[in-house]
């Protein structure tokens, strides 16, 4: 911290399992990645190269080197896993991850239809060599899961070896546990939390109102993801009760 | 591309006439322009210095040098043409373009009232020395053109020598062929396409939903413009069927 | 300016008291601050390190050095004042400002309840050593002030020694003199202007439509704040009548 303030709530130290912030990089340059790390690296636990942007991003290796030098794990978005899978190229995907020494993998079915038993098989398989983030929820706003389905999938995927489950929200924060307007589906989230330990969930929550909701509901050490790189600092102030929305929460 | 994926749809090589991406720079620094080019230069065909931002942007010459060195043509927004025109300074405008070796010019009437015959005269005049992009549509949401007027203007302007016609949408994507909400006017677009060859149109489409609409309707080699520099990579993934919204489109 | 255009409206020279643009930096890196200054430094009069982001922003001293070398005053957001105040650490706050040679201070009650007489006391106290910007309005959309209350507070705070009063709008432009949709409360603003000299007010107006409203209502030398760094150039074109929205305003 840059100066002393009393009564600022506790934050776990890195590497942490609670209070995780996952940022989504959708095409930063190597220099922009350096800039991002220089201001917010201390508060960023994981960096996702959003969906399949890594396929086209120029100068990718140099950016990856920036993240690796900073000691911040990065991983490829779940859509890339699905793109390799649907093309019968999963072996190529594993080789790609090995080449870049990627330790985390996202197993998702946000854009494809997959039987849950197959998803669980992939989770088990990848969990042998990678830390698995499994994602629940579709990118298609019309494919709505019932609360019991959320819970069932999350339970099974954690049992299959997922380190944490992610709730799909997209870059826009407009599907899954959110309405298309971005509003939070409170009842659904309550149902999920009644059944799944909160530290095992990473909530994609790109919008400030969503972040505020989760911090108010689950405390400042809630795991949040799909945070735009330039929103990691604002999010950290929310976690510390140093922005209007959470100013009185920890006093 | 950074790795091998099968069944990724074809993209024309640069310089291309179809599948063009025009990015809008509204005040990047020279270094930010370098960053942009380093990740997305391969997918950027044209760069517009938005409206008259070039008048005030500091360190402009250095940025222009970055774009020129990268071999990506840039041009001044149509509002700048209109600003020179309404001040009777068109000769100054030509000198400015010559000074910067600008090869493209946008002839528009988004902010001023101009008789179509005068616009056609300017198109003919500028087409002698520049590649002309003529723009149809007003920046004023209250000035709505009937479908037949869109078609008529486009036809005449192409005949007068425009390389392509642009459909005005502004930075916000909220006028012209879009509702003020950003929603696409599907019927209008159908009417236009019934009459004008699609490769002759460059659709301003700053919002993701608009880009998805055009890619679904016209294929991945549709010409799209007013793309924010940090959205060129996301757009390219849409064109390649590597984002949720177009994932199944080319499989 | 980068080239000659006739009939462009006058802008005061720096340091100016009217036509002030206050930009909000919510976590730029030192290099991003350099980039911002290189394109828009000439049009930026004040830089606010938004709310308490300065507490967590990495590499802060280097960024501050960039702003100081550019000769552009920066100051800490009002929420930081409130965070120190509520912790009984105002002396620490003064020391922090002295350490960084900060000349401006924002005295606000956007997140805390404060009696107006106490606020006036702080304004008087800080005005002895700092240029005071006092802010009126709550960050809480439910705490609405009546027009006469806006006027009364503004009058008293200016009399107590505030250089200018700021109208609270947040980063989102959705409280205070704006509806939660961002729409302008025109009647309220008229009431304020009937009673307070316009050059004494700095309007937080992060959204383009809000900036356009104020430029149309109060002229191009209106004081505007909470401008995102990459929106300073677009705002300057609005002030100069070189964007569609204000194109005819000064001709």
């Amino acid at each position: 911290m840059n100066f002393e303030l009393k009564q600022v709530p506790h934050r776990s130290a890195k590497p942490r399992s609670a209070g995780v912030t996952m940022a989504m990089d959708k095409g930063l340059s190597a220099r922009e990645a350096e800039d991002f790390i220089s201001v917010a690296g201390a508060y960023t636990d994981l960096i996702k190269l959003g969906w399949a942007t890594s396929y086209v991003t120029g100068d990718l290796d140099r950016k990856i080197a920036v993240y690796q030098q900073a000691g911040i794990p990065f991983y490829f978005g779940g859509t890339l896993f699905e793109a390799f899978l649907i093309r019968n190229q999963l072996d190529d995907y594993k080789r790609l991850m090995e080449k870049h020494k990627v330790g985390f993998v996202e197993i998702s079915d946000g854009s494809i239809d997959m039987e849950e038993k197959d998803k669980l098989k992939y989770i088990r398989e990848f969990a042998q060599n990678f830390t698995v983030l499994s994602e629940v929820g579709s990118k298609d706003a019309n494919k709505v899961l019932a609360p019991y389905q959320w819970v069932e999938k999350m339970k099974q995927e954690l049992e299959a070896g997922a380190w944490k489950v992610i709730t799909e929200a997209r870059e826009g924060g407009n599907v899954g546990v959110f309405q298309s307007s971005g509003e939070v589906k409170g009842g659904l989230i309550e149902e999920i939390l009644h059944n799944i330990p909160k530290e095992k969930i990473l909530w994609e929550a790109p919008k400030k109102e969503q972040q505020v909701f989760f911090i108010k509901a689950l405390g400042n050490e809630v795991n949040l993801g799909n945070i735009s790189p330039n929103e990691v600092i604002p999010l950290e102030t929310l976690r510390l009760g140093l922005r209007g929305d959470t100013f009185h929460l920890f006093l």
Side-chain angles (χ1 to χ4, degrees), chain A:
Chain A
M1 300 309 150
N2 292 314
F3 41 83
E4 293 289 325
L5 268 178
K6 292 169 190 165
Q7 270 185 275
V8 172
H10 175 73
R11 287 279 278 134
S12 311
K14 275 194 185 184
R16 59 194 146 206
S17 179
V20 165
T21 292
M22 176 267 274
M24 189 175 79
D25 166 350
K26 62 177 190 176
L28 295 185
S29 72
R31 194 155 55 191
E32 288 166 340
E34 285 175 6
D35 287 338
F36 162 39
I37 296 303
S38 77
V39 291
Y43 318 110
T44 306
D45 301 276
L46 281 171
I47 294 165
K48 173 167 70 178
L49 306 185
W51 64 102
T53 53
S54 54
Y55 181 65
V56 287
T57 302
D59 218 5
L60 180 67
D61 288 355
R62 221 153 53 85
K63 175 166 72 179
I64 286 178
V66 169
Y67 290 144
Q68 286 176 330
Q69 231 163 1
I72 302 180
F74 81 94
Y75 66 98
F76 298 114
T79 301
L80 191 64
F81 160 78
E82 298 175 47
F84 274 100
L85 174 64
I86 207 165
R87 288 167 174 82
N88 282 313
Q89 288 186 259
L90 270 196
D91 286 343
D92 293 337
Y93 188 45
K94 286 180 188 166
R95 271 189 289 274
L96 176 69
M97 289 195 288
E98 279 156 20
K99 178 188 157 194
H100 289 297
K101 301 189 173 60
V102 181
F104 288 77
V105 66
E106 185 175 317
I107 306 293
S108 60
D109 55 350
S111 299
I112 59 178
D113 290 320
M114 198 194 294
E115 299 222 7
E116 187 65 19
K117 70 170 172 34
D118 292 326
K119 194 172 172 192
L120 296 173
K121 191 194 68 180
Y122 291 123
I123 293 171
R124 271 184 225 106
E125 182 185 325
F126 279 84
Q128 293 171 16
N129 301 298
F130 302 94
T131 303
V132 173
L133 293 150
S134 83
E135 190 179 57
V136 176
S138 175
K139 289 187 191 294
D140 184 340
N142 297 312
K143 291 188 180 166
V144 176
L145 295 174
Y148 83 91
Q149 292 173 304
W150 281 91
V151 169
E152 201 171 84
K153 283 168 186 280
M154 287 174 136
K155 264 195 182 152
Q156 293 175 339
E157 297 179 16
L158 287 167
E159 280 165 18
W163 173 58
K164 291 188 194 300
V165 285
I166 299 180
T167 55
E168 168 74 72
R170 307 206 69 182
E171 186 197 359
N174 54 0
V175 296
V177 300
F178 305 117
Q179 311 282 4
S180 63
S181 64
E183 221 179 309
V184 177
K185 295 182 179 175
L188 167 59
I189 288 168
E190 225 173 289
E191 182 75 15
I192 291 173
L193 287 167
H194 184 66
N195 290 280
I196 309 288
K198 67 177 181 176
E199 65 273 15
K200 300 306 285 179
I201 308 172
L202 195 160
W203 308 90
E204 291 188 352
K207 296 185 175 178
K208 189 187 77 165
E209 288 66 30
Q210 299 168 347
Q211 299 158 16
V212 169
F213 171 88
F214 284 112
I215 290 170
K216 285 187 172 171
L218 299 174
N220 77 331
E221 291 265 88
V222 63
N223 301 316
L224 297 172
N226 279 21
I227 310 300
S228 172
N230 63 358
E231 294 295 337
V232 172
I233 290 292
L235 169 58
E236 193 63 23
T237 63
L238 287 175
R239 289 186 186 278
L240 297 177
L242 293 173
R243 190 172 191 181
D245 314 79
T246 59
F247 195 85
H248 295 279
L249 210 56
F250 310 109
L251 291 175

